[in-house]
Amino acid sequence: MTSVTQGAAARHGGFSLPERQARQAEAVLLPVLAILAGFLLFGLFLLAFGKSPMEFYQLVWRGGFGTGFSISNTLQRAAPLLLTALCVALPAQLGLIVIGGEGAFVLGGLAAAAAGAAFAALPAVPAIALMAATGAFAGGLWIGMVGLLRTRRGVNETISSLLFAYIAVALFNHLVEGPLRDPASLNKPSTLPLPAEFRIGTIPGLDVHWGFVVGTLACLVSAFVIGRTSFGFSARIAGGNPRAAAVQGLPVGRLVVLFCVAGGAAAGIAGMIDVAAIHGNANAALIAGYGYTGILVAFLARQNPLAIIPMAILIGGIDAAGGLVQRRMQLPDATMLVLQGILFIAMLASETLSGRLVPRRAASTEAAR
Amino acid sequence: MSGDLGLWGVLIAVIGGAIRVSTPFLFVSLGECVTEKSGRINLGLEGTLVFGAMAGYGGSLLTGSPWAGVLAAGLAGTLFGLLHGALCSLPRVNDIAVGIALMLFGTGLAFFLGKPLIQPAAPMLPSIDLGFWAGSPQLRAALQVNPLFLIGIALAFAIAFVFRRTRLGLVLRMVGDSSDAARAMGYAILPVRIGATAFGGFMAGVAGAYLSLYYPGSWNEGISSGQGLIAVALVIFARWRPVACLGAALIFGGAGALGPALQSIGITQGYYLFYAAPYVLTLAILIFTSSPDRALDGAPRELSITR
């Protein structure tokens, strides 16, 4: 240690981590503490209703991570969340809070289902690529509009993206029950079914469809682009201080729209994967709230694409254990929603503690006064 | 029967809808108006609304009096408002993120506690028959008014008066426009903001009770469809003026009633598109009233979304 850090250590009672390591440690420690605090608070909530927290924790472990079956269930549920969380995290790099992923998800799924059914004569590989492209296009367009309204008209993106999501669901229902409806689907209105070859299969060895791999790759690529390329760096600058970025000549407006399109495309592809891997067509079951859960995952991950992966698995595990907890402990299915809400609040409250681990150099000038 | 009236039937239904459907919008937007005047934005009102609906229904069921339910809902809403205010008072916490968190938490908690409330029927709020003079049954039905609607109108004018002419209103506006000036004058900022947010929560809770105890008049998990959020947009549209919030709420109530009204005269295609009408209208208004360079006219300067 140099004399400077020794001096700092003396003033801060022996705590002498260099700043960079301190920040990295904090970036991992705080979220973990927040999650633990959230689970503890939820345990208190359960005690108030006469239920056993220990039994709950055990059942969540067993239902989410304890057996091979539950792990498959968890990863399957995490797969769409990886992409819908990106729909929040990517615009967040530019300081935007976009929460309309549900709209991009359902419209992406619908567009992909329509494209797949219309081009049923194509061979499987180009058809799946076409469906993915259509899904990405529809989702990207939807959220891209949010970004455009923000840069061109100054419209608050949180409100507009949620309004767009409601409009998207209405549009989805209208098209699925009307123009795009499969005449053979009477009880449950759906679009024309996809040919069997177009369906996405499972990863060999695991009972999870390839969408999980797609989502993980998307998060890794996003983390790389944001953290390690000059393009990502310019986006982060624009997010930190738009005016300074504009003065530097960065195309802030274009970056905003681009990242919104990318986020929307991710959610759109998630919708396409849900259609191709699970449903085989687009129907009302597609409106499952993955977009909204993605918001939770993104905030838990503090908008960091790398952290989205473990957080999506955590939330997927909680959801997977939901049925078991419900049956064994006689709790309503909204129980998991309450837990997730408490985790969200705990994570936000933990932001207050950020910066405490980092030795403050300003303290030395204050001490000198 | 409404075939006899044809298009007049649609107009009457829209007016009736404007009165009926606008009340929750009115209450939430008035509450959010007060909150935003103090410099906080509370997006969690959607969750507070749903929780208020549950609490109102439960309160009415337990006590047998719908007004006790309304009070219970207001109390529950106040607690959520206090939670939002307290969380946002921590340094470095983003109020939009807290709003989203409370939206999810409030809805989840409401569904959790409200499971046993779905089946039983609770006593409903009464209506005042303002259309007793009308000959046509449609007009009489349209002019059935809930006392909360009248209370809401009175509140709109009362709040406008408080903003303009009382010391409380002045302190509120000062805290929302310039926290430095408020501090210099010796006023504590956090209690004012927490109080304003608690009031907003109270109003949203009452709005929720209206939904479950009058129209649509039941408790289930689809009770709200974004009213809390639309009301936040309405406040921006109304330029933070309470009486303009009243006008905006009436317009949206009318827009929401258009779909069912057209259905009743036989136009059934595009049902979902008419269902989307209030959201499209809100979006259109947001687009037309926003501008990228000028700050929104009349916006409290401490509000995070207008910076």
Side-chain angles (χ1 to χ4, degrees):
Chain A
M1 287 196 294
T2 64
S3 57
V4 172
T5 47
Q6 272 175 322
R11 270 191 292 275
H12 294 277
F15 204 4
S16 63
L17 277 179
E19 191 177 326
R20 182 149 173 254
Q21 262 81 316
R23 281 197 203 284
Q24 283 176 342
E26 189 184 270
V28 175
L29 200 61
L30 270 186
V32 170
L33 277 174
I35 291 175
L36 286 175
F39 270 100
L40 257 151
L41 278 169
F42 185 72
L44 290 173
F45 174 77
L46 283 178
L47 275 175
F49 283 93
K51 304 282 181 181
S52 155
M54 285 314 294
E55 191 187 349
F56 179 80
Y57 301 143
Q58 279 167 348
L59 285 173
V60 168
W61 175 257
R62 188 138 61 96
F65 308 96
T67 68
F69 171 73
S70 42
I71 292 183
S72 303
N73 199 353
T74 296
L75 294 181
Q76 183 106 319
R77 287 166 189 269
L81 300 179
L82 291 165
L83 289 165
T84 54
L86 279 178
C87 188
V88 181
L90 287 176
Q93 304 302 317
L94 282 147
L96 269 60
I97 302 184
V98 169
I99 57 177
E102 184 78 359
F105 183 89
V106 301
L107 287 181
L110 182 65
F119 290 94
L122 283 178
V125 172
I128 293 182
L130 177 70
M131 290 199 304
T134 330
F137 178 76
L141 184 73
W142 207 243
I143 306 293
M145 283 200 287
V146 173
L148 206 66
L149 284 175
R150 168 64 195 250
T151 46
R152 289 291 171 85
R153 296 287 310 184
V155 177
N156 177 266
E157 72 283 358
T158 311
I159 300 177
S160 70
S161 65
L162 199 52
L163 288 172
F164 268 112
Y166 283 116
I167 296 174
V169 170
L171 198 62
F172 177 91
N173 281 320
H174 172 76
L175 290 172
V176 164
E177 292 196 14
L180 292 179
R181 186 189 190 139
D182 177 11
S185 65
L186 288 170
N187 281 343
K188 185 174 155 190
S190 323
T191 56
L192 290 164
L194 295 174
E197 311 84 57
F198 293 3
R199 305 291 295 273
I200 295 180
T202 54
I203 305 170
L206 288 168
D207 199 12
V208 184
H209 60 75
W210 284 101
F212 184 77
V213 174
V214 172
T216 313
L217 277 173
C219 287
L220 292 172
V221 167
S222 302
F224 180 78
V225 168
I226 292 169
R228 304 271 175 171
T229 63
S230 51
F231 174 71
F233 187 53
S234 59
R236 281 183 290 137
I237 294 179
N241 192 334
R243 274 203 207 98
V247 162
Q248 284 290 309
L250 289 177
V252 177
R254 223 176 297 166
L255 283 170
V256 166
V257 177
L258 202 62
F259 272 72
C260 284
V261 168
I269 290 179
M272 169 257 171
I273 292 176
D274 218 52
V275 164
I278 300 189
H279 301 287
N281 58 35
N283 57 60
L286 204 61
I287 311 173
Y290 288 124
Y292 296 118
T293 316
I295 302 171
L296 171 68
V297 172
F299 272 98
L300 284 180
R302 292 160 148 226
Q303 319 294 355
N304 180 330
L306 272 182
I308 286 179
I309 300 174
M311 291 304 170
I313 295 177
L314 175 70
I315 298 298
I318 291 176
D319 274 340
L324 190 65
V325 166
Q326 204 186 329
R327 282 193 306 273
R328 290 292 177 83
M329 294 180 74
Q330 309 294 318
L331 287 168
D333 48 8
T335 312
M336 296 325 206
L337 281 178
V338 176
L339 170 61
Q340 288 169 357
I342 291 181
L343 285 175
F344 197 164
I345 294 175
M347 187 61 72
L348 287 178
S350 72
E351 295 274 343
T352 307
L353 297 172
S354 68
R356 297 286 171 88
L357 281 182
V358 178
R360 262 169 282 168
R361 288 197 196 93
S364 57
T365 47
E366 275 175 47
R369 273 191 219 139
Chain B
M1 272 285 269
S2 47
D4 300 335
L5 295 172
L7 281 177
W8 280 114
V10 177
L11 182 65
I12 291 172
V14 168
I15 292 176
I19 296 175
R20 229 187 352 246
V21 180
S22 65
T23 309
F25 287 126
L26 177 60
F27 271 80
V28 182
S29 61
L30 284 177
E32 180 67 8
C33 191
V34 171
T35 306
E36 291 193 14
K37 271 287 201 215
S38 81
R40 285 266 167 84
I41 181 165
N42 185 354
L43 285 178
L45 288 181
E46 178 71 16
T48 311
L49 184 80
V50 174
F51 195 86
M54 188 277 303
Y57 200 80
S60 174
L61 198 62
L62 280 174
T63 62
S65 156
W67 292 105
V70 171
L71 210 60
L75 197 65
T78 311
L79 289 174
F80 269 91
L82 285 172
L83 181 62
H84 186 280
L87 282 172
C88 291
S89 302
L90 297 171
R92 252 192 274 242
V93 175
N94 179 317
D95 53 359
I96 292 188
V98 171
I100 299 172
L102 286 181
M103 208 192 307
L104 295 174
F105 177 64
T107 313
L109 195 62
F111 293 166
F112 178 84
L113 294 172
K115 257 302 197 277
L117 298 175
I118 296 184
Q119 287 282 20
M124 297 280 120
L125 285 169
S127 2
I128 301 175
D129 192 11
L130 281 186
F132 55 84
W133 48 270
S136 113
Q138 283 85 7
L139 197 53
R140 280 195 78 166
L143 290 177
Q144 293 272 354
V145 157
N146 186 288
L148 280 176
F149 177 67
L150 301 171
I151 294 176
I153 297 180
L155 268 176
F157 287 98
I159 293 178
F161 178 79
V162 166
F163 280 170
R164 260 201 316 265
R165 304 237 171 201
T166 67
R167 190 197 192 140
L168 176 67
L170 181 62
V171 172
L172 190 74
R173 281 186 291 135
M174 195 178 356
V175 166
D177 269 335
S178 169
S179 47
D180 291 336
R183 253 187 239 116
M185 293 288 290
Y187 292 110
I189 300 191
L190 286 182
V192 173
R193 287 199 176 145
I194 294 179
T197 315
F199 177 75
F202 172 81
M203 297 290 274
V206 170
Y210 178 91
L211 285 175
S212 64
L213 290 176
Y214 188 71
Y215 181 82
S218 67
W219 161 251
N220 55 62
E221 296 188 358
I223 190 89
S224 169
S225 44
Q227 275 109 328
L229 188 82
I230 294 182
V232 175
L234 283 185
V235 173
I236 301 177
F237 167 53
R239 289 284 186 270
W240 295 272
R241 291 179 313 230
V243 182
C245 285
L246 174 63
L250 285 170
I251 294 176
F252 279 80
L258 200 60
L262 286 171
Q263 253 196 331
S264 67
I265 61 168
I267 302 178
T268 49
Q269 287 155 332
Y271 167 71
Y272 287 108
L273 296 180
F274 283 113
Y275 176 75
Y279 307 109
V280 175
L281 188 58
T282 310
L283 195 62
I285 286 174
L286 261 178
I287 295 174
F288 282 119
T289 58
S290 299
S291 155
D293 347 273
R294 284 177 296 117
L296 291 166
D297 189 30
R301 258 159 274 146
E302 292 285 337
L303 207 56
S304 53
I305 59 168
T306 58
R307 285 216 189 117

